[in-house]
Amino acid sequence: MSRVLVVNTGSSSIKYQLFEMDPQKVLASGLVERIGEAGSKLTHRAGDAEPLVVEERVTDHSDGFDRVFKAFENAGGPITDLAGIGHRVVHGGDRLTAPTLVDDATIQAIADQAPLAPLHNPPNLLGIRIAMASFPETPQVAVFDTAFHQTMPPRAYRYALPADLAGELRIRRYGFHGTSHAYVSRKAAEHLGRPAGELNLVTLHLGNGASVAAVAGGRCIDTSMGLTPLEGLVMGTRSGDLDPAVVFYLHREAGLSVDDIDDLLNKRSGMLGMAGANDMREVARLVADGDEAATEALDVYCYRIRKYVGAYAAALGRLDALVFTAGIGENNDAVRAGVCQGLEGLGVVLNAKRNKGRPKSPRTISADDSPVAVLVVPTNEELEIAEQTLAVVRG
Ligand code: ADP
């Protein structure tokens, strides 16, 4: 039993990868999109074969999983030899602080966190329930996006709110993208040939959602996302940090409701709101065409990251490496250059030539004499979930 199926069940999607872990290899992967909507489809890829695309009405998540299992039978063979199934779960709150074998108590605990992640935890749980019914003999493991950040001290995770209210409603900073921050911190240490326990890192996960973590000796001591993924950096469609009074002002002056403001700050702000495009490739095209709004938005984007790097260098006391990852961190050298610009005083010196391109494996992009190493480390959240699942299953 050396295979692990990794499942990420969203509100309208199911992403999956089947790994052989010994030796490590992706056997198949795929995605069911737009579940319950017009234009729903399944894309399944087995090994190096051409992807199998099935465009059909996928009515609900159960139907979606049935189609995934059927796709395996049609391409790659049925799913056998499973050591475990690993599920991505967004919010573990402050109780679920490590990958956990799923039993009734875990299910209840994930359900208890649902008010903190109403769009994510219920579909995550649905995926777990369906997988348990389909593979009753196979251990299921929940891996939490928040877990890596549970080592933050109170000075980093507390908001300055009345203690009783914050305690009762569990209002504090949790942080997200933990699986990615954990994976790239470990890979960065391997790449540098130094024990993770000796290194102080700032990891920058820059995808559609984006977050920074300060990692001291392999443990997270601070991160930019908070109670929800809205806090922190400028993102594709999220505003990131904002004076909370903007919310009251929007309500009073523009007559927006709480739901309107939620939608505005999560789905219509960030790069989309400022530049008119949330995809950084589109923003880059606009900048190249001389578009002023896009140019300014990109400047805001990089400046916000730079401020966090400075803040986290102070939080860590000493910075050994700055690590870029995810869609933008791995592929956009202009953003990497924009972030590092002016950080020489903190010991961050980029090598322009090394910074070019899209490395597919960990690469150093700083100058030889840069006191702080700057790295690009491609993330792989699925593999991290598979490894953590196997570790839990094998005890
Ligand atoms: P998600 O948070 O949805 O997983 P990703 O990590 O895929 O997001 O990041 C999406 C962002 O990465 C987009 O803004 C996109 O422009 C950028 N990106 C992805 N691939 C490339 C590429 N090959 N070249 C430049 N930018 C890319």
PDB file of all heavy atoms in Angstrom, residues 207-209 278-281 326-328 331 358, ligand 1:
ATOM      1  N   GLY A 207       0.046  33.809  -5.224  1.00  0.00           N
ATOM      2  CA  GLY A 207      -0.835  33.231  -6.249  1.00  0.00           C
ATOM      3  C   GLY A 207      -2.002  34.180  -6.427  1.00  0.00           C
ATOM      4  O   GLY A 207      -1.865  35.388  -6.209  1.00  0.00           O
ATOM      5  N   ASN A 208      -3.159  33.652  -6.788  1.00  0.00           N
ATOM      6  CA  ASN A 208      -4.352  34.495  -6.820  1.00  0.00           C
ATOM      7  C   ASN A 208      -4.630  35.059  -5.440  1.00  0.00           C
ATOM      8  O   ASN A 208      -4.892  36.242  -5.283  1.00  0.00           O
ATOM      9  CB  ASN A 208      -5.533  33.653  -7.281  1.00  0.00           C
ATOM     10  CG  ASN A 208      -6.015  34.108  -8.619  1.00  0.00           C
ATOM     11  OD1 ASN A 208      -6.082  35.313  -8.889  1.00  0.00           O
ATOM     12  ND2 ASN A 208      -6.342  33.160  -9.460  1.00  0.00           N
ATOM     13  N   GLY A 209      -4.563  34.156  -4.456  1.00  0.00           N
ATOM     14  CA  GLY A 209      -4.503  34.590  -3.063  1.00  0.00           C
ATOM     15  C   GLY A 209      -3.024  34.721  -2.742  1.00  0.00           C
ATOM     16  O   GLY A 209      -2.198  34.070  -3.379  1.00  0.00           O
ATOM     17  N   ASN A 278      -7.292  40.722 -12.798  1.00  0.00           N
ATOM     18  CA  ASN A 278      -6.761  40.044 -11.610  1.00  0.00           C
ATOM     19  C   ASN A 278      -5.607  39.116 -11.958  1.00  0.00           C
ATOM     20  O   ASN A 278      -4.795  38.791 -11.104  1.00  0.00           O
ATOM     21  CB  ASN A 278      -7.862  39.280 -10.867  1.00  0.00           C
ATOM     22  CG  ASN A 278      -8.391  38.129 -11.681  1.00  0.00           C
ATOM     23  OD1 ASN A 278      -8.960  38.338 -12.754  1.00  0.00           O
ATOM     24  ND2 ASN A 278      -8.199  36.931 -11.190  1.00  0.00           N
ATOM     25  N   ASP A 279      -5.512  38.704 -13.219  1.00  0.00           N
ATOM     26  CA  ASP A 279      -4.421  37.806 -13.614  1.00  0.00           C
ATOM     27  C   ASP A 279      -3.179  38.647 -13.884  1.00  0.00           C
ATOM     28  O   ASP A 279      -3.208  39.585 -14.677  1.00  0.00           O
ATOM     29  CB  ASP A 279      -4.828  37.017 -14.860  1.00  0.00           C
ATOM     30  CG  ASP A 279      -3.839  35.902 -15.144  1.00  0.00           C
ATOM     31  OD1 ASP A 279      -2.645  36.198 -15.391  1.00  0.00           O
ATOM     32  OD2 ASP A 279      -4.246  34.732 -15.115  1.00  0.00           O
ATOM     33  N   MET A 280      -2.074  38.295 -13.222  1.00  0.00           N
ATOM     34  CA  MET A 280      -0.859  39.108 -13.310  1.00  0.00           C
ATOM     35  C   MET A 280      -0.288  39.138 -14.730  1.00  0.00           C
ATOM     36  O   MET A 280       0.415  40.068 -15.084  1.00  0.00           O
ATOM     37  CB  MET A 280       0.149  38.538 -12.343  1.00  0.00           C
ATOM     38  CG  MET A 280       0.808  39.452 -11.390  1.00  0.00           C
ATOM     39  SD  MET A 280       0.283  41.117 -11.187  1.00  0.00           S
ATOM     40  CE  MET A 280       0.412  41.231  -9.439  1.00  0.00           C
ATOM     41  N   ARG A 281      -0.582  38.117 -15.543  1.00  0.00           N
ATOM     42  CA  ARG A 281      -0.099  38.149 -16.939  1.00  0.00           C
ATOM     43  C   ARG A 281      -0.797  39.269 -17.701  1.00  0.00           C
ATOM     44  O   ARG A 281      -0.181  39.979 -18.493  1.00  0.00           O
ATOM     45  CB  ARG A 281      -0.369  36.798 -17.627  1.00  0.00           C
ATOM     46  CG  ARG A 281       0.615  35.727 -17.184  1.00  0.00           C
ATOM     47  CD  ARG A 281       0.171  34.362 -17.608  1.00  0.00           C
ATOM     48  NE  ARG A 281      -0.945  33.906 -16.772  1.00  0.00           N
ATOM     49  CZ  ARG A 281      -1.285  32.638 -16.598  1.00  0.00           C
ATOM     50  NH1 ARG A 281      -0.624  31.685 -17.229  1.00  0.00           N
ATOM     51  NH2 ARG A 281      -2.278  32.307 -15.815  1.00  0.00           N
ATOM     52  N   ALA A 326       4.522  30.003  -5.668  1.00  0.00           N
ATOM     53  CA  ALA A 326       3.169  30.045  -6.274  1.00  0.00           C
ATOM     54  C   ALA A 326       3.201  30.783  -7.623  1.00  0.00           C
ATOM     55  O   ALA A 326       4.255  31.279  -8.026  1.00  0.00           O
ATOM     56  CB  ALA A 326       2.153  30.645  -5.321  1.00  0.00           C
ATOM     57  N   GLY A 327       2.048  30.804  -8.299  1.00  0.00           N
ATOM     58  CA  GLY A 327       1.955  31.268  -9.695  1.00  0.00           C
ATOM     59  C   GLY A 327       2.762  32.511 -10.010  1.00  0.00           C
ATOM     60  O   GLY A 327       3.562  32.531 -10.947  1.00  0.00           O
ATOM     61  N   ILE A 328       2.619  33.556  -9.202  1.00  0.00           N
ATOM     62  CA  ILE A 328       3.328  34.806  -9.472  1.00  0.00           C
ATOM     63  C   ILE A 328       4.772  34.734  -8.960  1.00  0.00           C
ATOM     64  O   ILE A 328       5.704  35.119  -9.670  1.00  0.00           O
ATOM     65  CB  ILE A 328       2.561  35.995  -8.828  1.00  0.00           C
ATOM     66  CG1 ILE A 328       1.178  36.119  -9.485  1.00  0.00           C
ATOM     67  CG2 ILE A 328       3.350  37.289  -8.946  1.00  0.00           C
ATOM     68  CD1 ILE A 328       0.188  36.982  -8.733  1.00  0.00           C
ATOM     69  N   ASN A 331       6.766  32.608 -11.412  1.00  0.00           N
ATOM     70  CA  ASN A 331       6.789  32.915 -12.852  1.00  0.00           C
ATOM     71  C   ASN A 331       7.001  34.366 -13.225  1.00  0.00           C
ATOM     72  O   ASN A 331       7.240  34.666 -14.386  1.00  0.00           O
ATOM     73  CB  ASN A 331       5.459  32.464 -13.489  1.00  0.00           C
ATOM     74  CG  ASN A 331       5.286  30.967 -13.425  1.00  0.00           C
ATOM     75  OD1 ASN A 331       6.070  30.230 -14.018  1.00  0.00           O
ATOM     76  ND2 ASN A 331       4.289  30.513 -12.698  1.00  0.00           N
ATOM     77  N   ARG A 358      11.613  31.087 -15.328  1.00  0.00           N
ATOM     78  CA  ARG A 358      10.623  30.389 -14.501  1.00  0.00           C
ATOM     79  C   ARG A 358      11.183  29.059 -14.046  1.00  0.00           C
ATOM     80  O   ARG A 358      10.907  28.027 -14.647  1.00  0.00           O
ATOM     81  CB  ARG A 358       9.372  30.123 -15.332  1.00  0.00           C
ATOM     82  CG  ARG A 358       8.865  31.351 -16.006  1.00  0.00           C
ATOM     83  CD  ARG A 358       7.589  31.106 -16.753  1.00  0.00           C
ATOM     84  NE  ARG A 358       7.056  32.395 -17.082  1.00  0.00           N
ATOM     85  CZ  ARG A 358       6.795  32.809 -18.311  1.00  0.00           C
ATOM     86  NH1 ARG A 358       6.979  31.995 -19.329  1.00  0.00           N
ATOM     87  NH2 ARG A 358       6.349  34.016 -18.514  1.00  0.00           N
TER      88      ARG A 358
HETATM   89  P1  ADP B   1      -4.130  30.013  -7.167  1.00  0.00           P
HETATM   90  O1  ADP B   1      -4.081  30.858  -5.934  1.00  0.00           O
HETATM   91  O2  ADP B   1      -5.418  30.138  -7.912  1.00  0.00           O
HETATM   92  O3  ADP B   1      -3.611  28.612  -6.996  1.00  0.00           O
HETATM   93  P2  ADP B   1      -1.748  30.416  -8.782  1.00  0.00           P
HETATM   94  O4  ADP B   1      -0.718  30.042  -7.783  1.00  0.00           O
HETATM   95  O5  ADP B   1      -1.963  29.544  -9.951  1.00  0.00           O
HETATM   96  O6  ADP B   1      -3.120  30.783  -8.110  1.00  0.00           O
HETATM   97  O7  ADP B   1      -1.352  31.883  -9.321  1.00  0.00           O
HETATM   98  C1  ADP B   1      -2.113  32.575 -10.243  1.00  0.00           C
HETATM   99  C2  ADP B   1      -1.305  33.788 -10.698  1.00  0.00           C
HETATM  100  O8  ADP B   1      -0.050  33.312 -11.192  1.00  0.00           O
HETATM  101  C3  ADP B   1      -1.935  34.593 -11.824  1.00  0.00           C
HETATM  102  O9  ADP B   1      -1.912  35.970 -11.494  1.00  0.00           O
HETATM  103  C4  ADP B   1      -1.054  34.316 -13.016  1.00  0.00           C
HETATM  104  O10 ADP B   1      -0.885  35.473 -13.795  1.00  0.00           O
HETATM  105  C5  ADP B   1       0.264  33.911 -12.435  1.00  0.00           C
HETATM  106  N1  ADP B   1       0.910  32.917 -13.299  1.00  0.00           N
HETATM  107  C6  ADP B   1       0.643  31.600 -13.355  1.00  0.00           C
HETATM  108  N2  ADP B   1       1.399  30.993 -14.321  1.00  0.00           N
HETATM  109  C7  ADP B   1       2.156  31.964 -14.891  1.00  0.00           C
HETATM  110  C8  ADP B   1       3.137  31.996 -15.930  1.00  0.00           C
HETATM  111  N3  ADP B   1       3.497  30.891 -16.577  1.00  0.00           N
HETATM  112  N4  ADP B   1       3.714  33.183 -16.211  1.00  0.00           N
HETATM  113  C9  ADP B   1       3.370  34.290 -15.537  1.00  0.00           C
HETATM  114  N5  ADP B   1       2.457  34.326 -14.561  1.00  0.00           N
HETATM  115  C10 ADP B   1       1.845  33.191 -14.224  1.00  0.00           C
END
